[in-house]
Amino acid sequence: MPVSRTLTSGLVLAAMLLGSTALAQPVKPAKAAQPFDRTVTLNDHQQPAIPRPRQEAGAQAKLDAFVARTGQRPNIVWLVVDDMGWGDPGSYGGGAAIGAATPNMDRLAAGGLRLTSTYAQQTCTPSRSAILTGRLPVRTGLTRPILAGDRITANPWDTEVSLPTLLNKAGYNTLLVGKWHIGEKEGMRPHDVGFKEFYGFYSAQKEITQGLDGTRYPDLVNRPGSLAAYGDLGNEIDLMHGWAGGRTEVAVPTRSTKDMAEADLRLRDFTVARIAQLAAKDEPFFIEHAFMKVHTDNYASAKFTGASAAGWPYKDALVEVDSIIGDIVAALDAAGELDKTFIFVTSDNGPQMDMWPDSGFSPFRGAKGTTWEGGVRVPGIAYWPGMIEPGQVSDDLFDLMDLFNTSLRLAGATGSLPQDRYIDGIDQTSFLLTKGGETLREHVYFWMNTTLMAMRMHELKIHQHVVVNNGSPFLWIDMATVQDVGTAPWLFNLYLNPKEDYTVGHRMSAWLATMGAEMRQHGATFVKYPPKNIGL
Ligand code: CA
């Protein structure tokens, strides 16, 4: 065997070089203990990370070579779908198999790194604020979606530092297109809190369409008094255009569900046009393109009505979103920016099964609004031709909050990371840019409002105190109940039981107590850095 011959001759050569005569037999190396928790704590205000010095050095060299070659920092483009399930894209097992082909997402997945354990928060506002601050919702106060009629008691942004604010300082043009959902009052709008430009909607689709669709909401829409009262809540439903400094205009009024049906194509046109304009400038750009679809209520656009094999509005919407992703990538390519752009495709939470049958798909237990895998595990596709090796799949842990730190690193602005607050994100640049790279994240924590519900480490997930149960087969928000876990935390092995329905508990795992202790350590970070309450 050539391989063992090489090994043997290598050992003999080593023995000769060392002048040793005792190396006749290869010595079995002692197995180095791999700690269960491999992280190192650098300081008390940052999520501990797994040190990977070799991987780090390689990624830095790659990034330095990119900057030397192109003379610029990379563009950053996030494509954030609303409420798309882990199982929706074809590359995650859905696609044509469930009646809505997603060739564009699948092409990006095949041409880049497909992450199978990417985690979001369990609902919209928490996820969207977490990726822009690198901080858990319980720290920023944005613990649940802001809904029509909510009266929050403090502007969380007064004391938060957003990613676009830091990227502006690093010389980027920053743009949010599409859904915001982190407040619409003056001082809370995207162009008030860092983005140089905003073109989109302040709230989720349903917050808009429930005042427009008399078929679905007859007791609101067909009663003038009720509709007027709803209008008095002051929710802006139009497609807005805003600029840093405060100037804000209605770009397109929303008068009917038809306007909403066409909204994502309007947003696409805007992003595609801006890519050409921003590419002509010297500065790199950061674009968060946040789809309105496939959040309920879905109304198919004229172009995409019946475009899916399934023929339901959600499925048509998914085909549309996928097509738009293709258009945005094509626009980057046409502008000569594709190989200078880090693209990340994801969803802000799991599918909203309450809206079944017009809803997404996850093979996991639970749905949006829960910390079961179905609520928090989302697609995560990292794509960057020439910088991210194509055809890779990794089940290493990635939290969407890591996009905060990672984007700062790509921008060469890691030094601007806030030091006066706890940052939950981890810089995962080296994981993404290294062929066969490994995660720097050991823990993913799952919060629901102000309760720490669960934690994942390796393939294990512990539910410490309470779990959410569905009220009927698909109702994971309405009628859902909270159940105490009983005398022992529920511990699942996600490799053996990805559906989290049969605990391995203390019977089949040695790590129950360790997992509990790790979770308590996370809780302890709130002593020095207490949670913020904004009245949600
Ligand atoms: Ca969402």
Side-chain angles (χ1 to χ4, degrees), residues 81-84 123-125 128 179 181 295 347-350 368:
V81 188
D82 200 354
D83 289 8
M84 175 173 71
T123 47
C124 313
T125 304
R128 285 157 197 274
K179 182 182 167 181
H181 212 178
H295 190 295
S347 174
D348 66 339
N349 49 252
K368 174 182 180 179

